[in-house]
């Protein structure tokens, strides 16, 4: 078996996305560089005004400890704060709620909190809130979903004084600092019931009205949440006023249908729309006069990639030659052109292509249907009965691909896969179901292939998705991968605290994973936005949610704004 | 007006049944070195051959209905036999990928279908193209739209030249894609034809199912009365209150299995829609039960079954056919709404509602499938109206 | 008459119970596990078995179907926190449909279903009522006029127009309304939701205007389809009435045409259509999923649909029970009115 070739670096850079998205107002027509490449000055910010942000799904609650949806996290970016935060540009962890932190040992940390931080209801924030938020993951009666295991690694957490938190993990773990830094913090004075049993405490948290009427620490405070609209007003007692918001009000509006949301954006009812399709981005919808006059189109790298997970429990899919052949038979470039107009990156591993832990030099399998057919023949699949389809031992080669309906890109990919594979004699049977049913079947492993995607942070722990101890049904290890080399690499990765050494391990992990092809790795497309031209200070950043609403403003002189906060 | 309505219904159904003949990426006839071949027909199954053979019969339905020819009723059976023989004679089906014939075509003479595109045939270089008879759809040799400004800021890959395959009209021919293309470059006219086939099939099948079930239960309820009527009326209430959408989602989540989604949705719609027919028939039979001819027939000693089938039912037939005609139209609307929400037929088998959903930002993708759907529903409703007016002279304008 | 009424009312309760039972069975036998309701997360290892068990026992998903149905029906709460007689802790002794306590949603435990239903009904019912008033308000005069001017060119054109309108798919109509009046078209009306951002800060007059502006398109979308059907019904029954002998008599008595039409013909013509009016009731409670999705209105139709997609059993059962009750009542009213009109059914 050949290993993938390594290409020279310059060629690989062709596959990386251009960097033009970086910078404040980089897409705004009034802020474009002139002939000399110099951008005009940004207008002076004024206070006041409102912006409405589009939501593609409605969060069930605003308590991120029990509701781990991505959309909840994005809203909480403005409504709550965490101990540490990822700097938008350098992606380093910087202190946020804490003034400083140090690590006493590879598995123990001390955080020194800033004084003077208050919750939205006026009560002071202190270390007890942090300790309470960490300990609630120990409550077996509370459904905290997938984050529980991370926080259960905490052996000891204590607050020696109201402004200090000491945390100790069981062993050195490369994500220890990130997990405690990123932990959602709940107001203990609203969620804690001293002296209550585990049951009562869990119920108090799960049925707490503040899951809906959230009280947090962020620059914006939830005013009300009615039906599809979440309204937040600026919180004037925010602990870092120089980093606080300019706009008086932020609204989030849920609109399920993307076409309706786009119409609403054109109409001025939505100020930021984050699900602009590729077709609209490059097509006539955004080159109309109405759009050019009132809106701006922009894009930023998303932190997600799509893939087709193979079910390695099915006997025919256990042969790696079949999986490689199917990858060789799909024309990725043509799909990239037709579906994304070239604005996407083909991924070759489990990671974000812009991250430093991703090996951009690893070349993807080329489009080679002849080689695919040869591999299939080697594996015993050829057209014995002359009906146009490959078969082996009397069984035709049919691949059943599961996916959720309602996603236009998935449907396009299934059609493209069906077409390309039919040309080498492989049948694809699509199974498009609603999200819940699809997830159900995926968990029970009732599929040959499952077309879905991951949204990842800059560096994520691959144990849940690729380690053999999670190979059973019900987990995120959809293929059921159980490879000793992968297991060893994962374990080494987890314990490696040095960034450089860890990068090398990641690169090895990526290469081995691509060789094994447990997934047909797809594309990482950028997120495309359309936003109101009147909003300035709009910067798109790598970390979720890709925009920073608290930095937006209307320029001085816009009616309804004022000089002072 | 009645014959116009009937002709329209028959025309639409005939076009739908003949879809493989009208829109196909494989040539209808090709002369190879080994002789003549008919690739378009090689890929058909026995049911599709049957439909194809039936289509002229459907098209001519107004004629033979007007002449009340009994012989014409035997035609479908003949067509079925022919189709099965044809299938047997044709040998085993060989699957040919979409567009493959066009790729392999050399200089051989070939005759293509009027719409030389298949409904599954993708053409990534021609995605989202407006109808080619519009000036804004013009594309130059390098694949760029002539009328459009370049505003992508260097992000887009340079467009690829449009791939014009053998047997297709030229790149900027006005009739290349009269309805435009969709996200994968599939011709919309071909998709509308096959989508209409699915929608019309669902309309007809669910109407027939509702007719059968409704007639049976309605007749029982109306004729027997008493306890049977009680039970059946409660059953009617039950079915009326049951959420149809939920049942469709339920059936969809179980997975269609090997049965085509078209039949599953028709079954669901038929099983939930028979209530209208049943109530109608129940009211009719309640009325007919006391009619004089029934009393006379009883007096003559005919069995109940004979009275129901030969005497009562033919009198109730007229409103029944009217109701079925309306139901077919309603079923098509319901199915298209369900598909628009995403719960009905899914890729690559689309119905007209699903086609609208696929392109809700592009006017032509909303306009054409919706217009064809509206036309189909209008034709069913018109037929029902005319049949109803036929039975009720007061409505056709004669003063008493 | 009284006997008929008594019979129908007596059957109302068993029918309702039967419907709730069938829906309950359908919901619970559908594949999909509400306990595994998390969206995927790359960090997700297998969901904690203890937490799954907790969810299941709290919502009685591990008990036999009969027990679950009785819990849903009430009035006794059979969960671990329920009535002492059934092994519960006694905290929450009564619950279920008969106790008018529908519990909390599965996916949002802090939301009580009764509260949410109230909120959504306040959105759906006024829109449906406005649509019904609009439809009837236009259909009656239009249908009457069409019957009177029968045969004229204008009437023929109107008949064709109504016919076409009736046959159009509802979602298509809504999409065209959005394209025509939204920003891409004339730009007169807002296309999303029922309130603008910041509507709560307006004075009551401006707030009402804002609400009306937002409601115009959804109400139109709801009304246009049924308007066409109703107008044709009114026309048909007007034609039938106008050919009756008493109209001829009234005319020959020398009564003014207006009196003949309004007092004699129209009143009688509308009688059969009144049974249709009873069917407005289910629409008030059911809402239209299509219109609510396209216009982004948080109504009852979407509530039920989204609950179905997420297997939120509690919501599905509650919404279906409510709409079943209203549909049964509407059917009863329609049948009663029909019986008033046609004596044969009463005694049949």
């Amino acid at each position: 078996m050949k290993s993938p070739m390594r290409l020279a670096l310059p060629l690989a850079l062709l596959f990386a996305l251009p960097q033009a998205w970086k910078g404040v107002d980089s897409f705004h027509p009034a802020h474009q560089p002139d002939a000399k490449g110099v951008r005009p000055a940004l207008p002076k910010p004024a206070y006041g005004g409102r912006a409405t942000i589009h939501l593609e799904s409605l969060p069930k609650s605003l308590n991120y400890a029990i509701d781990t949806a991505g959309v909840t996290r994005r809203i909480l970016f403005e409504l709550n704060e965490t101990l540490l935060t990822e700097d938008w540009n350098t992606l380093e962890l910087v202190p946020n709620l804490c003034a400083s932190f140090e690590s006493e040992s590879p598995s123990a940390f001390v955080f020194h909190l800033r004084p003077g931080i208050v919750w939205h209801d006026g009560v002071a924030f202190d270390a007890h809130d942090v300790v309470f938020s960490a300990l609630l993951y120990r409550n077996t009666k509370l459904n905290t979903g997938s984050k529980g295991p991370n926080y259960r690694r905490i052996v000891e957490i204590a607050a020696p004084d109201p402004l200090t938190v000491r945390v100790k993990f069981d062993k050195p773990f490369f994500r220890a600092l990130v997990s405690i830094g990123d932990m959602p913090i709940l107001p203990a004075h609203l969620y804690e019931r001293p002296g209550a049993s585990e049951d009562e405490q869990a119920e108090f948290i799960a049925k707490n009205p503040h899951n809906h009427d959230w009280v947090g620490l962020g620059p914006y405070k939830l005013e009300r949440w009615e039906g599809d609209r979440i309204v937040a007003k600026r919180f004037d007692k925010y602990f870092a006023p120089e980093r606080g918001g300019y706009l008086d009000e932020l609204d989030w509006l849920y609109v399920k249908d993307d076409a309706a949301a786009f119409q609403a954006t054109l109409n001025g009812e939505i100020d930021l729309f984050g699900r602009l399709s590729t077709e609209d981005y490059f097509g006539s919808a955004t080159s109309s006069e109405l759009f050019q006059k009132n809106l701006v189109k922009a894009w930023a790298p998303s932190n997600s990639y799509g893939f087709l997970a193979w079910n390695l429990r099915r006997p025919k899919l256990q042969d790696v030659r079949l999986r490689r052949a199917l990858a060789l038979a799909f024309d990725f470039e043509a799909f990239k052109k037709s579906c994304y107009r070239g604005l996407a990156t083909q991924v070759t591993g489990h990671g974000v292509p812009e991250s430093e832990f991703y090996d951009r030099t690893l070349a993807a399998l080329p489009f080679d249907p002849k080689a695919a057919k040869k591999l299939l023949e080697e594996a015993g699949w050829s057209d014995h009965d002359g009906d146009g389809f490959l078969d082996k031992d009397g069984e035709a080669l049919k691949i059943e691909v599961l996916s959720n309906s309602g996603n236009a890109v998935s449907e396009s990919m299934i059609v493209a896969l069906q077409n390309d594979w039919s040309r080498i004699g492989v049948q694809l049977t699509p199974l498009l179901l609603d999200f819940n049913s699809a997830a159900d079947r995926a968990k029970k492993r009732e599929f040959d292939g499952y077309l879905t995607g991951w949204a990842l942070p800059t560096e994520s722990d691959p144990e849940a998705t690729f380690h053999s101890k999670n190979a059973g049904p019900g987990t995120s290890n959809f293929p059921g991968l159980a490879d000793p080399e992968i297991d060893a690499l994962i374990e080494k990765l987890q314990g490696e605290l040095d960034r450089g050494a860890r990068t090398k391990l990641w690169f090895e992990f990526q290469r081995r994973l691509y060789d094994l092809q447990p997934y047909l790795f797809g594309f990482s497309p950028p997120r495309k936005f359309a936003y109101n031209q009147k909003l300035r200070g709009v910067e798109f950043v790598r970390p979720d949610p890709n925009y920073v609403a608290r930095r937006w403003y209307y320029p001085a002189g816009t009616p309804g704004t004022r000089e002072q906060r | 007006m009645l014959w116009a309505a009937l002709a329209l219904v028959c025309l639409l159904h005939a076009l739908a049944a003949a879809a493989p003949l009208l829109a196909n990426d494989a040539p209808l006839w090709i002369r190879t070195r080994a002789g003549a071949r008919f690739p378009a027909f090689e890929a058909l199954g026995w049911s599709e051959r049957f439909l194809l053979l039936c289509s002229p019969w459907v098209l001519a339905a107004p004629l033979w209905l007007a002449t009340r020819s009994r012989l014409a009723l035997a035609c479908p059976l003949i067509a079925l036999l022919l189709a099965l023989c044809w299938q047997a004679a044709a040998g085993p089906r060989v699957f040919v990928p979409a567009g493959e014939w066009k790729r392999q075509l050399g200089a051989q003479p070939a005759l293509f279908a009027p719409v030389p595109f298949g409904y599954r045939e993708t053409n990534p270089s021609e995605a989202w193209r407006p109808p080619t008879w519009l000036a804004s759809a013009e594309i130059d040799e390098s694949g760029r739209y002539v009328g459009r400004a370049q505003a992508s800021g260097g992000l887009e890959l340079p467009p690829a030249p449009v791939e014009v395959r053998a047997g297709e009209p030229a790149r900027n021919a006005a009739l290349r894609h009269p309805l435009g293309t969709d996200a994968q470059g599939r011709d919309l006219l071909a998709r509308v034809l096959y989508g209409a086939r699915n929608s019309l099939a669902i309309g007809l099948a669910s109407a027939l199912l509702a007719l059968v079930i409704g007639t049976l239960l309605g007749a029982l309820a109306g004729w027997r009365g008493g306890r049977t009527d009680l039970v059946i009326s409660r059953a009617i209430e039950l079915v009326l209150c049951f959420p149809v959408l939920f049942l469709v989602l339920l059936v969809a989540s179980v997975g269609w299995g090997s049965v085509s989604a078209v039949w599953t949705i028709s079954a669901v719609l038929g099983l939930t829609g028979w209530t209208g027919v049943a109530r109608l028939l129940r009211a009719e039979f309640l009325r007919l039960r006391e009619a004089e001819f029934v009393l006379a027939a009883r007096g003559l000693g005919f069995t109940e079954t004979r009275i129901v089938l030969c005497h009562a039912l033919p009198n109730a037939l007229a409103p029944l056919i009217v109701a079925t005609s309306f139901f077919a139209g309603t079923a098509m609307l319901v199915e298209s709404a369900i598909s628009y929400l995403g719960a009905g037929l899914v890729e690559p088998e689309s119905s007209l509602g699903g086609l609208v959903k696929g392109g809700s930002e592009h006017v032509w993708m909303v306009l054409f499938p919706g217009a064809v759907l509206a036309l189909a529903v209008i034709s069913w409703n018109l037929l029902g109206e005319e049949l109803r007016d036929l039975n009720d002279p007061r409505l056709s304008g004669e003063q008493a | 008459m009284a006997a008929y009424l008594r019979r129908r009312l007596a059957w109302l309760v068993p029918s309702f119970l039967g419907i709730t039972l069938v829906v309950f069975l359908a919901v619970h036998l559908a594949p999909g596990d509400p306990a595994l309701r998390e969206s995927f997360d790359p960090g997700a290892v297998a969901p904690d078995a203890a937490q799954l068990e907790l969810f299941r026992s709290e919502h009685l998903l591990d008990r036999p179907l009969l027990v679950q149905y009785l819990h849903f029906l009430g009035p006794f709460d059979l969960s671990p926190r329920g009535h002492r007689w059934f092994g519960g802790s006694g905290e929450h002794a009564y619950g279920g449909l008969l106790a008018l306590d529908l519990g909390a949603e599965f996916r949002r435990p802090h939301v009580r279903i009764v509260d949410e239903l109230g909120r959504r009904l306040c959105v759906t019912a006024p829109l449906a009522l406005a649509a019904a008033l609009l439809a009837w308000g236009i259909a009656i005069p239009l249908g009457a006029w069409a019957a009177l001017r029968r045969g004229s060119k204008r009437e023929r054109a109107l008949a064709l127009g109504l016919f076409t309108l009736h046959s159009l798919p509802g979602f298509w109509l809504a999409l065209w309304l959005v394209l025509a009046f939204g920003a891409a078209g004339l730009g007169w009306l807002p296309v999303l939701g029922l309130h603008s951002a910041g509507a709560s800060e307006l004075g009551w007059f401006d707030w009402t205007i804002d609400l009306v502006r937002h409601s115009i398109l959804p109400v139109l979308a709801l009304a246009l389809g049924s308007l066409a059907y109703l107008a044709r019904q009114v026309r048909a029954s007007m034609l039938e009435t106008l050919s009756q002998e008493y109209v001829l008599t009234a005319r020959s008595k020398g009564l003014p045409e207006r009196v003949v039409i309004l007092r004699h013909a129209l009143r009688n013509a509308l009688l059969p259509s009144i049974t249709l009016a009873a069917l407005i009731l289910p629409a008030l409670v059911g809402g239209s999923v299509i219109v609510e999705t396209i216009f982004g209105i948080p109504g009852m139709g979407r509530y039920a649909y989204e609950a179905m997609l997420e297997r939120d059993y509690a919501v599905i059962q509650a919404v279906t029970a409510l709409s079943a009750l209203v549909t049964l009542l509407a059917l009863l009213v329609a049948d009663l009115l029909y019986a008033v009109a046609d004596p044969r059914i009463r005694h049949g």
Side-chain angles (χ1 to χ4, degrees), chain A residues 308 389 397-402 413-419 421-422 425-431, chain B residues 120 348:
Chain A
L308 177 73
F389 290 121
L397 185 50
K398 277 196 200 156
I399 311 266
E400 188 186 56
V401 172
L402 175 71
M413 185 141 187
I414 285 187
V415 172
L417 282 169
Q418 196 177 40
N419 259 319
W421 286 351
S422 72
V426 178
Q427 278 174 289
L428 191 163
T429 318
L431 192 57
Chain B
R120 285 190 187 208

Side-chain angles (χ1 to χ4, degrees), chain C residues 248-311:
Chain C
L248 206 59
T249 316
R251 280 215 184 100
S252 61
K253 275 207 288 189
L255 288 173
E257 190 67 9
R258 218 164 45 108
V259 173
V260 174
I261 302 299
L262 288 176
R263 198 179 301 170
H264 294 271
L266 196 61
R267 243 191 236 172
N268 289 299
L270 286 181
L271 210 59
S273 307
I274 288 180
T275 59
L276 282 176
L279 295 175
I280 295 175
L281 279 173
L284 286 181
V285 166
S288 160
V289 187
I290 296 281
V291 169
E292 287 172 16
T293 307
I294 294 179
F295 291 103
I297 295 170
M300 288 289 288
R302 250 180 54 190
Y303 192 40
Y305 182 60
E306 284 162 8
M308 287 171 199
L309 287 177
E310 302 208 7
R311 306 288 189 276

Side-chain angles (χ1 to χ4, degrees), chain A residues 261-428:
Chain A
F262 184 63
Q263 288 297 324
T265 316
L266 284 175
N267 225 13
E269 295 169 64
I270 289 180
D271 293 307
L272 180 86
F273 174 56
R275 287 176 63 85
L276 198 58
S277 68
T278 312
E279 170 55 24
D280 282 347
Y281 191 86
F282 291 112
S284 50
T286 49
S287 49
S288 70
E289 221 186 283
L290 182 67
F291 192 94
Q292 298 286 337
K293 209 162 59 116
N294 297 317
L295 299 166
V296 181
K297 68 182 180 195
W299 64 272
S302 71
N303 303 307
S304 59
Y305 75 91
F307 62 89
L308 177 73
W310 297 117
N311 187 353
L312 296 176
R313 292 159 160 250
R314 298 266 161 110
K316 63 176 183 267
L317 292 167
Q318 279 167 3
D319 190 342
V320 71
R321 288 173 296 191
L322 177 67
R323 304 197 296 270
R324 281 176 72 88
L326 291 174
L328 285 167
F330 180 53
D331 193 351
F332 283 91
E333 279 306 307
F335 187 71
K336 188 162 98 167
K337 277 192 199 131
S338 75
C339 189
Y340 298 114
R341 301 276 197 104
L343 192 65
T345 317
Q346 186 181 355
V347 297
T348 53
H350 181 67
V352 172
E354 288 79 26
S355 143
E356 64 177 282
F357 302 105
Y358 178 90
D359 186 359
R360 274 183 282 274
T361 64
L362 183 60
L365 288 168
F367 174 51
D368 196 344
K370 287 202 182 65
K373 269 198 127 140
K374 237 176 58 176
L375 266 179
L376 285 168
E377 253 188 70
E378 271 174 45
W381 294 96
S382 67
D383 194 1
H384 297 113
D385 53 8
D387 65 348
F389 290 121
L390 298 179
D391 50 75
K392 175 171 154 180
D393 303 328
E395 184 201 334
L397 185 50
K398 277 196 200 156
I399 311 266
E400 188 186 56
V401 172
L402 175 71
S403 185
N404 17 302
S405 60
N407 185 332
V409 172
S410 293
E411 286 174 17
S412 294
M413 185 141 187
I414 285 187
V415 172
L417 282 169
Q418 196 177 40
N419 259 319
D420 284 350
W421 286 351
S422 72
R423 298 189 50 197
I424 59 165
V426 178
Q427 278 174 289
L428 191 163

Side-chain angles (χ1 to χ4, degrees), chain A residues 551-563:
Chain A
R551 307 308 298 155
W552 299 346
Y553 58 85
Y554 289 102
T558 315
T561 60
R562 48 185 194 278
E563 288 271 325

Side-chain angles (χ1 to χ4, degrees), chain A residues 50 60-61 141-146 203 224 228-229 233 251 254-255 260 264 267 269 436-437 440 464 474 476, chain C residues 32 38 41-42 44 47 51 54 81 107-108 110 183 189-192 195 197-198 200-201 294 302 309-311:
Chain A
R50 174 204 307 124
K60 299 188 179 56
S61 78
K141 306 285 185 191
L142 183 65
N143 190 353
T144 51
S146 57
E203 192 186 347
R224 69 178 171 280
D228 292 345
R229 187 184 287 267
K233 291 247 158 80
D251 281 10
Y254 162 56
V255 184
N267 225 13
E269 295 169 64
N436 205 291
S437 314
D440 197 52
S476 303
Chain C
E38 268 200 50
D41 179 350
Q51 287 178 344
L54 177 69
R81 294 226 178 83
R107 45 200 172 130
R108 293 187 297 176
H110 54 269
L189 292 170
V191 293
L192 213 56
H195 302 278
S200 49
E201 280 138 33
I294 294 179
R302 250 180 54 190
L309 287 177
E310 302 208 7
R311 306 288 189 276

Side-chain angles (χ1 to χ4, degrees), chain B:
Chain B
M1 212 41 195
L2 173 62
W3 297 111
L6 188 61
L8 188 58
V9 170
C10 293
L11 176 68
L12 287 172
H13 281 83
L15 282 176
L21 191 67
L22 294 171
N24 212 319
D25 55 289
L28 295 175
W29 168 83
I30 180 173
R31 188 178 25 213
T32 61
R33 246 173 278 145
R37 278 183 73 176
F38 306 93
F41 303 106
E42 281 168 18
L44 300 177
W46 70 265
S47 53
E48 286 178 309
R49 290 177 207 255
F50 169 60
L51 279 176
L52 205 57
L53 289 171
C54 270
S55 60
W57 175 75
V58 172
L59 192 60
L63 276 170
W64 56 256
L65 273 173
T67 58
R68 291 175 207 264
S69 150
R70 300 268 160 121
L71 203 66
L73 289 172
C75 284
L77 287 149
I78 302 175
L80 184 62
L81 277 162
L82 274 175
L84 290 167
C85 295
W86 187 11
Q87 177 75 14
R93 263 164 76 181
V94 182
F95 172 77
V96 176
E100 198 62 27
W101 275 104
K102 288 184 187 170
R103 283 185 210 108
Q104 310 279 7
L105 203 66
Q108 304 135 316
L111 176 69
F112 278 88
V115 180
F117 297 97
Y119 77 101
R120 285 190 187 208
E121 189 192 353
T122 62
N123 190 345
S125 54
E126 216 179 355
W128 294 123
R129 191 168 179 190
T132 44
W133 43 268
L134 284 174
S136 60
E138 207 181 317
I139 298 183
D140 62 18
E141 292 89 43
S142 60
R144 254 176 250 278
Y145 281 92
V146 164
R148 256 183 236 179
Q150 291 308 304
S152 63
L155 287 170
E156 215 173 337
L157 278 185
V162 171
E163 187 193 342
V164 177
R165 299 180 183 143
E168 292 176 9
R171 188 183 64 235
N172 287 319
L175 286 178
R176 181 176 164 81
H177 291 295
L179 300 185
T181 63
D182 71 359
Q184 285 96 36
R186 294 178 290 193
D187 179 48
L188 195 61
L189 182 55
R191 300 227 5 116
V192 163
L193 261 172
Y194 279 86
R197 190 162 83 147
N198 288 332
S199 291
L200 287 168
I202 290 177
L204 199 57
S206 51
L208 287 174
L209 186 63
L211 179 68
V212 168
I213 300 179
T215 309
L216 218 66
L217 292 176
L220 268 175
W223 195 258
R224 292 271 181 81
R227 216 177 294 167
T228 325
D229 183 17
L230 209 64
V231 168
I232 293 182
S233 294
R234 301 287 82 77
I236 290 177
E237 279 173 2
L238 180 78
V239 173
L240 268 176
C241 295
F242 198 89
V244 176
L245 194 55
F246 180 63
L247 195 57
V248 174
L249 278 178
L250 189 70
V251 176
S253 67
V254 169
W256 303 117
S258 55
V259 179
S260 162
V262 169
W263 306 124
T264 336
I265 296 188
S266 308
V268 171
L269 289 175
L271 286 170
T272 50
W274 56 265
T275 54
V277 173
R279 280 166 75 101
L280 182 74
L281 208 62
R282 175 179 169 271
E284 283 290 308
F285 269 46
L286 277 175
R287 186 175 61 88
L288 285 173
R289 207 167 50 167
E290 313 302 327
E292 285 163 355
F293 66 87
V294 171
L295 292 170
R298 279 216 191 96
L300 283 173
F302 291 156
T303 60
E304 276 307 290
T305 328
R306 185 172 166 173
I307 299 176
V308 168
L309 286 177
C310 307
H311 295 100
L313 200 57
N315 281 293
L317 209 58
L320 210 61
I321 294 182
V322 169
T324 310
S325 179
F326 284 127
F327 183 76
T330 315
M332 287 183 67
L333 286 177
V334 171
E335 183 276 324
S336 65
I338 293 175
S339 294
Y340 178 74
L341 286 175
L345 288 177
V346 286
E347 287 284 339
E349 294 291 326
S350 262
S351 75
L352 294 171
L355 287 174
V356 174
K357 169 174 170 277
S360 26
E361 300 129 29
H362 299 268
V363 175
W364 74 91
M365 286 211 63
V366 172
L367 178 64
F368 294 118
V372 172
L373 180 65
L375 189 65
V377 177
I378 287 175
S379 71
W380 275 120
N381 284 343
L382 195 61
L383 186 63
E385 275 278 304
E386 292 300 323
L387 284 173
R388 188 165 61 181
D389 286 352
L390 196 68
N391 287 316
D392 201 340
R394 285 171 299 185
L395 288 180
S396 35
E398 293 154 27
Q399 295 286 338

